[in-house]
Amino acid sequence: MTGEIARLVAQDEARHVAFGVAHVTQHVREDSALLERFAAAIEHRHDTLAHTAGLNEEVFDSLVLLAAGSWQPEMLRAGWRKAQILIADMGRGRVRKIGFDGQKAQPLSALHTRNFM
């Protein structure tokens, strides 16, 4: 039951993210000057929430446990590897989506908050 709920939540969240990315991407295609405004907003948000930047340890531990599906040490190791892959994938996704070039996107991607936002 919990697994099914988590699957449905992930599916719903993926749909929200895809819509948001498509929406922003379309606006950037129409007005590339928006990228500078987005960058400024990301930097401002980070400065305001600097004390919350980086990945929250509890969130990471939860990701590992969910990915592991078990408390068994070998499963936890596999969950840890899966969580690392997720973090890297999210970072690459933040860099390649919307239209920022790699030089600008990489530092902006690193400014996500402790809950991955």
Side-chain angles (χ1 to χ4, degrees):
M1 175 93 156
T2 301
E4 180 65 9
I5 290 170
R7 186 187 69 73
L8 291 170
V9 167
Q11 180 182 5
D12 192 46
E13 185 62 20
R15 188 172 50 249
H16 294 152
V17 170
F19 173 80
V21 169
H23 183 77
V24 168
T25 301
Q26 179 60 38
H27 283 283
V28 167
R29 282 189 195 123
E30 294 169 6
D31 181 6
S32 63
L34 286 175
L35 289 175
E36 285 306 312
R37 288 179 48 205
F38 288 148
I42 291 166
E43 290 164 351
H44 175 74
R45 180 175 187 255
H46 175 265
D47 292 345
T48 301
L49 301 173
H51 63 287
T52 70
L55 180 58
N56 181 307
E57 189 174 315
E58 291 83 7
V59 171
F60 180 75
D61 290 348
S62 298
L63 288 172
V64 169
L65 185 56
L66 284 169
S70 168
W71 286 100
Q72 295 177 359
E74 65 276 3
M75 296 298 288
L76 289 171
R77 281 190 285 279
W80 184 87
R81 286 189 296 276
K82 289 177 183 178
Q84 294 297 319
I85 291 168
L86 172 66
I87 292 166
D89 286 349
M90 290 180 73
R92 282 190 295 277
R94 285 191 296 269
V95 168
R96 80 171 184 279
K97 307 274 184 178
I98 299 172
F100 287 110
D101 67 47
Q103 262 185 319
K104 183 71 173 177
Q106 207 56 48
L108 291 172
S109 175
L111 300 180
H112 66 81
T113 60
R114 294 170 63 88
N115 63 354
F116 274 157
M117 298 178 84

